[in-house]
């Protein structure tokens, strides 16, 4: 198991950032950690990266304690945050030299080769790069590093749709392998839904749902009817839409619902709203 988190607890004064949060990231999986602002996503990621202490629970990343064994852990973990964390005063070439010196798994030549396909030059300072170029530079470093876990925290925030698509295409084509795992958080749920193998819903520091994507299609159904109907099992959500009444139901055979209206699988955003209920 790449990440094993069980009953994590973290409080900031009267606020519970993590309140029994549990999740796992198996090897070779792409796990989406989905939650609204203030749900505990960032605290969970910081804990996994060894950047935050916990008040309780058990957490191991690749068999290591992230806080006490962080130096060893970082040999196999790479991270892209939602804000620019690369040193802005450095030139790109000097940054590559630095990473090459401190990260044994870094392949400088591979990073330079990827950057050659962009407008980023090694003589430029990081502070002169646009948001999109900054992400491209960070991505080039990450993809040139041999690591078992890639952590992405809102990595495409502020990028246009073209850059976002190119970013995830590069991750899938050049990083993702059977023995590597990806943990990603984002508000743009629809644009990553197709790359996820597993999903975890977090709300108010708690795990509301944790399942492989293929299980969601079997367990959850969206039913649309022109008029309000009575269902064999109470739905987990009901709303009035342009096409009529929209219900999301759990663990009800589709053949029992088909005669009532249109039956489909809810997308990830619809399912999240239904499960969270807010």
């Amino acid at each position: 198991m790449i990440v094993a988190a069980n009953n994590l607890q973290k409080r900031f004064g009267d606020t519970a950032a993590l309140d029994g949060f549990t999740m796992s990231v198996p090897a070779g999986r792409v796990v989406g950690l989905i939650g609204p602002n203030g749900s505990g996503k960032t605290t969970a990621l910081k804990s996994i990266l060894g950047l935050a202490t916990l008040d309780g629970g058990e957490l191991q990343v690749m068999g290591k304690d992230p806080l006490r064994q962080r130096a060893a852990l970082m040999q196999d973990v790479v991270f892209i945050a939602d804000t620019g964390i690369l040193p802005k005063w450095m030139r790109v070439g000097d940054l590559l030299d630095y990473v090459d010196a401190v990260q044994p798994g870094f392949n400088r030549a591979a990073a330079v080769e990827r950057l050659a396909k962009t407008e980023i030059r090694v003589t430029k300072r990081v502070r002169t790069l646009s948001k999109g170029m900054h992400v491209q530079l960070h991505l080039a470093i990450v993809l040139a590093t041999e690591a078992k876990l890639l952590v992405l925290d809102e990595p495409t925030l502020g990028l246009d749709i073209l850059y976002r698509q190119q970013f995830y295409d590069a991750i899938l084509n050049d990083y993702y392998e059977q023995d590597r795992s990806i943990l990603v958080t984002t508000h743009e749920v629809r644009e990553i839904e197709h790359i996820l193998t597993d999903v975890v819903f977090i709300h108010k520091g708690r795990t509301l749902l944790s399942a492989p994507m293929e299980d969601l299609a079997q367990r959850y159904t969206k039913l649309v009817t022109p008029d309000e109907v009575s269902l064999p099992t109470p739905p987990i959500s009901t709303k009035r839409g342009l096409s009529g009444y929209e219900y999301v139901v759990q663990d009800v055979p589709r053949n029992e619902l088909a005669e009532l209206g249109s039956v489909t699988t809810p997308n990830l955003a619809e399912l999240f709203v239904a499960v969270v209920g807010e």
Side-chain angles (χ1 to χ4, degrees):
M1 190 66 65
I2 299 296
V3 177
N6 182 46
N7 195 32
L8 301 189
Q9 308 281 341
K10 179 65 179 180
R11 299 191 69 87
F12 296 100
D14 295 333
T15 302
L18 296 176
D19 188 14
F21 177 69
T22 297
M23 72 168 292
S24 61
V25 179
R29 308 291 283 182
V30 182
V31 180
L33 180 58
I34 311 299
N37 288 333
S39 63
K41 297 193 307 295
T42 298
T43 303
L45 290 188
K46 285 184 176 180
S47 301
I48 290 169
L49 294 168
L51 297 174
T53 59
L54 292 167
D55 298 328
E58 299 177 351
L59 173 62
Q60 284 199 335
V61 182
M62 286 174 282
K64 298 180 176 65
D65 182 317
L67 197 62
R68 294 180 174 85
Q69 299 173 280
R70 186 168 189 271
L73 183 64
M74 288 301 104
Q75 303 298 319
D76 285 315
V77 178
V78 284
F79 173 54
I80 297 182
D82 62 337
T83 56
I85 59 175
L86 299 178
K88 294 181 172 56
W89 55 272
M90 294 186 79
R91 296 187 187 277
V92 172
D94 295 334
L95 175 60
L96 298 182
D97 290 340
Y98 172 76
V99 177
D100 194 26
V102 300
Q103 174 56 261
F106 180 65
N107 185 334
R108 190 186 191 283
V112 171
E113 182 180 354
R114 173 166 287 277
L115 289 176
K117 301 174 184 177
T118 72
E119 297 180 2
I120 302 172
R121 300 294 173 260
V122 294
T123 55
K124 286 187 174 183
R125 294 192 185 276
V126 174
R127 66 167 174 260
T128 67
L129 304 180
S130 66
K131 169 68 175 177
M133 295 170 72
H134 193 283
V135 173
Q136 283 181 318
L137 173 58
H138 208 155
L139 182 61
I141 293 173
V142 164
L143 295 181
T145 303
E146 288 291 333
K148 298 298 183 184
L149 175 64
L150 170 59
V151 179
L152 304 171
D153 184 13
E154 298 283 358
T156 60
L157 193 66
L159 297 184
D160 62 38
I161 188 171
L162 181 60
Y163 268 122
R164 296 201 304 266
Q165 187 63 53
Q166 290 175 345
F167 177 88
Y168 288 113
D169 286 347
I171 291 293
L172 286 180
N173 294 331
D174 299 333
Y175 176 86
Y176 183 56
E177 296 177 358
Q178 285 188 340
D179 62 341
R180 291 178 167 185
S181 297
I182 300 173
L183 176 59
V184 54
T185 73
T186 180
H187 285 88
E188 301 291 344
V189 178
R190 289 183 178 87
E191 76 177 20
I192 69 163
E193 183 172 359
H194 70 287
I195 74 170
L196 299 180
T197 64
D198 303 79
V199 65
V200 178
F201 289 167
I202 181 174
H203 187 50
K204 296 182 179 178
R206 300 171 184 156
T207 305
L208 297 189
L209 182 148
S210 179
M213 289 293 290
E214 57 265 25
D215 287 0
L216 301 184
Q218 297 176 1
R219 295 196 61 195
Y220 297 94
T221 304
K222 177 182 175 181
L223 170 68
V224 179
T225 65
D227 301 305
E228 193 171 8
V229 297
S230 178
L231 299 177
T233 300
I236 61 174
S237 76
T238 304
K239 73 173 185 177
R240 184 72 181 270
L242 295 176
S243 302
Y245 288 87
E246 299 179 3
Y247 305 91
V248 176
V249 297
Q250 178 180 344
D251 296 330
V252 177
R254 293 198 174 192
N255 59 354
E256 295 182 16
L257 301 172
E259 60 186 23
L260 299 176
S262 173
V263 173
T264 58
T265 299
N267 62 44
L268 203 54
E270 292 170 330
L271 183 58
F272 176 78
V273 172
V275 171
V276 171
E278 297 183 7

